[in-house]
Amino acid sequence: QRGRLAVRPSPAVPDRVVAEVIEQFRPGLERAGIETAFDAGAGEIVLIDPDALAELTASIEKFGIE
């Protein structure tokens, strides 16, 4: 179904997921003159969909480059 996201929760650390995505995009952001900063605050293991969180974070980073 279009527009529906299948959520697959599993134990993960949100800070770790976001930090990995930021590191992936950091070179491109720096080339674009964008400084990255991440104020971690979700370091506990929680039940989330790490792939969905990574995709959302990557979308934010991509919009920052454009």
Side-chain angles (χ1 to χ4, degrees), residues 31-53:
R31 281 192 301 274
I34 300 170
E35 182 180 331
T36 59
F38 175 52
D39 188 14
E44 300 292 322
I45 296 174
V46 295
L47 193 59
I48 60 170
D49 183 335
D51 293 332
L53 178 58

Side-chain angles (χ1 to χ4, degrees), residues 6-65:
V7 178
R8 294 178 182 85
S10 64
V13 179
D15 280 352
R16 193 171 301 149
V17 174
V18 173
E20 288 173 3
V21 173
I22 290 171
E23 286 306 311
Q24 180 181 9
F25 284 92
R26 187 180 307 273
L29 292 168
E30 288 177 350
R31 281 192 301 274
I34 300 170
E35 182 180 331
T36 59
F38 175 52
D39 188 14
E44 300 292 322
I45 296 174
V46 295
L47 193 59
I48 60 170
D49 183 335
D51 293 332
L53 178 58
E55 188 174 316
L56 290 169
T57 304
S59 293
I60 293 167
E61 297 296 329
K62 287 177 188 175
F63 286 120
I65 292 174

